[in-house]
Amino acid sequence: MSNVNLTALAVEASRSSTTTEVPIWLLELSHPDFSTLRFASYEEDLVATSQVSNDSQVYSGVGLEASLPDDVGEAQPDMTIRLHDSSQTIVQALRSVDIMTSARVLVTAWLVFLSDPNVRQRGRFSWNLVGSSWDEQDVVQLTLKQENLVREQFPRHRFTPSKFPALFR
């Protein structure tokens, strides 16, 4: 596994047999229909600098479980995150989203250490929310996918006389 995006502290902590560093995932859910929700995979709330807005924010401590995508041939990988949301904040926000708009909920994540949550150790990872469900035990399950670049037209622009006049002289 490549350590290209890891800080020196993260590499040292991952290679050490004992370490005092506690890895924490910071998540942000954003959409035009609701204000950004921030969560930390820790039992208490954390104050950290947002890697999106570059200002100090409070990340609510929640239980977090992630399941990585199955390794299935040509299938587009998706990931599932389960959050324990006793305040129903996520459910209320997801219910406010107008599904007829083209904008999807964007989920952004990065890894920090508890000793200094303002220093990003790995990431900024971004996914689109493609599905969600919740149950009576206050567990919200989010299904995430990365943007499918295979379905995007390439090149992005069509070669028309108005956009590329030099090609049509």
Side-chain angles (χ1 to χ4, degrees):
M1 182 169 148
S2 173
N3 292 326
V4 174
N5 293 333
L6 293 175
T7 64
L9 180 60
V11 172
E12 180 183 329
S14 66
R15 291 183 178 165
S16 175
S17 60
T18 60
T19 183
T20 59
E21 297 299 339
V22 178
I24 305 290
W25 281 102
L26 298 180
L27 293 174
E28 291 188 3
L29 280 72
S30 57
H31 189 273
D33 290 348
F34 59 82
S35 43
T36 301
L37 303 176
R38 294 174 176 87
F39 301 99
S41 63
Y42 191 61
E43 63 226 17
E44 299 173 8
D45 293 352
L46 289 177
V47 176
T49 301
S50 169
Q51 297 296 319
V52 176
S53 61
N54 288 324
D55 56 350
S56 191
Q57 299 289 341
V58 175
Y59 290 81
S60 301
V62 296
L64 184 143
E65 303 167 25
S67 59
L68 297 176
D70 295 329
D71 190 13
V72 180
E74 299 295 319
Q76 180 73 11
D78 58 352
M79 181 173 72
T80 303
I81 294 179
R82 294 171 46 99
L83 298 166
H84 301 276
D85 180 31
S86 59
S87 67
Q88 297 289 310
T89 308
I90 301 171
V91 173
Q92 291 170 3
L94 293 177
R95 284 183 175 159
S96 73
V97 172
D98 181 8
I99 60 172
M100 300 308 288
T101 63
S102 60
R104 288 205 168 163
V105 175
L106 179 67
V107 179
T108 308
W110 51 92
L111 182 69
V112 298
F113 284 143
L114 184 58
S115 61
D116 190 359
N118 294 319
V119 176
R120 180 180 62 188
Q121 301 297 325
R122 179 89 195 244
R124 174 174 175 191
F125 304 102
S126 295
W127 300 276
N128 288 320
L129 178 67
V130 295
S132 62
S133 62
W134 45 87
D135 59 22
E136 295 81 31
Q137 287 80 32
D138 299 326
V139 175
V140 178
Q141 182 168 307
L142 306 175
T143 304
L144 310 173
K145 286 191 182 226
Q146 288 191 329
E147 187 176 352
N148 188 353
L149 297 177
V150 174
R151 293 189 180 192
E152 295 295 319
Q153 72 180 30
F154 180 80
R156 182 173 162 251
H157 298 289
R158 297 192 189 279
F159 291 103
T160 61
S162 62
K163 290 185 182 173
F164 299 92
L167 293 176
F168 296 94
R169 289 187 186 185

